[in-house]
Amino acid sequence: MPTVEELYRNYGILADATEQVGQHKDAYQVILDGVKGGTKEKRLAAQFIPKFFKHFPELADSAINAQLDLCEDEDVSIRRQAIKELPQFATGENLPRVADILTQLLQTDDSAEFNLVNNALLSIFKMDAKGTLGGLFSQILQGEDIVRERAIKFLSTKLKTLPDEVLTKEVEELILTESKKVLEDVTGEEFVLFMKILSGLKSLQTVSGRQQLVELVAEQADLEQTFSPSDPDCVDRLLQCTRQAVPLFSKNVHSTRFVTYFCEQVLPNLSTLTTPVEGLDIQLEVLKLLAEMSSFCGDMEKLETNLRKLFDKLLEYMPLPPEEAENGENASNEEPKLQFSYVECLLYSFHQLGRKLPDFLTAKLNADKLKDFKIRLQYFARGLQVYIRQLRLALQGKTGEALKTEENKIKVVALKITNNINVLIKDLFHIPPSYKSTVTLSWKPVQKVEIGQKRANEDTSSGSPPKKSPGGPKRDARQIYNPPSGKYSSNLGNFNYERSLQGK
């Protein structure tokens, strides 16, 4: 084993040799042997080996292995020095191997080392993006779980920081190709990260690119298979996938396939859905997703069938008025429970699809069913007006901090929900039913309204059939779907609406 003095002496030989440095193989071998020495010798070897590496291609394997030994040394300062110098080995056919090594080193628990590995990977990415991706995806596909996890996170956070000259079209195509291989077997969290990676690629920002992503999501969601409502993993997978698909939909990238699947397979089983997510109102979550997607449907082969399933499910949440006793009072002494959050979603979805088949209520339903529906609508609208007045009264004069309390936040959202339902019901009261009004779903950001434009969702008129509105249909601007979380949103769907209607 060489001493510190011998290492310096052989370093001097190589440094002084200038263009003839490659002729001093023995001197370089002495430096390689420095990895077998003590702490000081190893530190010097970690610096000297990469400096002259390119001059000795016949010793490339030995040099890389020597540096790798130093990357795994017990002394943290030696490891850090060795890792810092690794990019100097990333030349030619050695680069994928160096990328593979650096990817494995992402498993370190030392924060300084971890940052060095990230920086080293980024630096070789800029040298050869394809070669670096080869090393990264090799470990994602075949490496240990911790390495796979961190390699995916590296891609999801660092790719967007790279300049356009690095992320060329060819490089993005390679990312898509390799990602498809990984997506054949991923966890829910991994799938979300890969959708983040892919949706950030410039080549997939086009209509055809987004369509590719939707097809990827549909494949991941297993839309060709029969839905299993009692299988929590099946339900969770569908929700995870649909959440990723929603932001991709537009007037040119249609949600038809997903909406049809939800109407055919999920809605009939809504009450039996199970979820592994504690505290999640799974039924409301499904209905929110359906509402989000319903705005972006294209031509539907099963439009009438889907509308019927939506209509039938809507009826479940729109009760008939309670029967009156001879004295005119409620015979059952109990008001039906009005599920406003569910009705907003279902009514909105029905309203959106109804635009494509505007004679559904009049031509496709028999007279008795339509009459029954109108009675339910009118009863619901009557209770709605009572609740809207109560909410307005409760919130009257409250501003700033007063509106930020948990109770008032819920009331504000409840007012949005009930106003939306009010607008949609009034549309359906038209003769024939109209589908022209637009509302902003209660969980989406409120959009600015131009001066002079009437806010449809602030209309406070009664639930009786209104006069026909002159306004034409306007599509809501597309928003990224944010699944509910936390105490506020979990309470939202369970707010005690029916209690406020008692004793009116």
Side-chain angles (χ1 to χ4, degrees), residues 2-5 7-8 31 33-48 70 73 75 77-78 81:
T3 62
V4 169
E5 291 75 16
L7 288 171
Y8 272 119
I31 290 174
D33 291 340
V35 301
K36 302 171 185 175
T39 301
K40 292 180 179 178
E41 289 79 10
K42 288 178 180 178
R43 285 179 182 169
L44 288 175
Q47 298 173 59
F48 295 168
L70 296 174
D73 197 84
D75 189 311
S77 63
I78 293 173
Q81 181 66 47

Side-chain angles (χ1 to χ4, degrees), residues 14 17-25 55-56 58:
L14 296 173
T18 59
E19 294 181 2
Q20 284 74 43
V21 62
Q23 299 175 11
H24 298 277
K25 184 177 176 181
H55 299 292
F56 300 97
E58 69 276 19

